[in-house]
């Protein structure tokens, strides 16, 4: 996996609209064989570092950090299409609890394409 996300040579015009949310993308990557720890790191501390906010505690769990946390659970197999028209059926991660700056916020988890 590239360290900084998609390749800069990818033209924007080739992007298609089937990226629902970050947890769907994480679920797809893990289903395709990526290591969960590696994917979580690349979805948290790597972007925080690239944005220059890691020194403020973003992208990590540490005493004194902003406490922006999403607790997830692995749920049953879901149909997950991609932008190229392919689909996989695999377990999906869904949020259980979300904290923003330490405050519990209301969430509505994604429940699949037909729900």
């Amino acid at each position: 996996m590239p360290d900084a996300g998609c390749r800069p040579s990818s033209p924007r015009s080739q992007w298609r609209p089937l990226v629902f949310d970050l947890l769907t993308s994480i679920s797809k990557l893990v289903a395709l064989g990526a290591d969960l720890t590696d994917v979580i790191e690349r979805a948290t501390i790597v972007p925080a570092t690239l944005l220059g906010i890691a020194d403020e505690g973003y992208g990590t769990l540490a005493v004194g950090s902003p406490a922006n946390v999403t607790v997830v659970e692995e749920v049953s197999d879901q149909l997950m299409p991609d932008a190229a028209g392919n689909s996989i059926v695999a377990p999906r991660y869904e949020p259980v609890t979300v904290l923003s700056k330490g405050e519990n916020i209301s969430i509505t988890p994604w429940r699949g394409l037909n729900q």
Side-chain angles (χ1 to χ4, degrees):
M1 288 181 3
D3 283 334
C6 66
R7 294 176 296 176
S9 62
S10 300
R12 177 94 175 138
S13 62
Q14 291 181 355
W15 290 19
R16 296 179 181 94
L18 283 176
V19 178
F20 296 104
D21 55 65
L22 184 58
L23 282 176
T24 300
S25 297
I26 288 171
S27 299
K28 290 177 184 180
L29 289 167
V30 172
L32 293 171
D35 177 69
L36 178 60
T37 301
D38 188 42
V39 173
I40 296 297
E41 180 179 286
R42 291 168 191 262
T44 56
I45 190 63
V46 170
T49 301
L50 290 171
L51 292 170
I53 58 175
D55 291 341
E56 299 170 34
Y58 290 92
T60 187
L61 293 176
V63 174
S65 68
N68 296 318
V69 179
T70 301
V71 178
V72 300
E73 69 177 340
E74 187 179 276
V75 297
S76 63
D77 287 355
Q78 300 286 321
L79 175 66
M80 294 183 280
D82 67 15
N86 303 306
S87 295
I88 59 172
V89 175
R92 186 187 185 299
Y93 297 101
E94 289 199 2
V96 176
T97 302
V98 176
L99 302 176
S100 178
K101 297 180 181 170
E103 297 292 322
N104 193 358
I105 61 171
S106 177
I107 58 172
T108 303
W110 184 79
R111 295 292 181 206
L113 296 175
N114 299 318
Q115 299 179 9

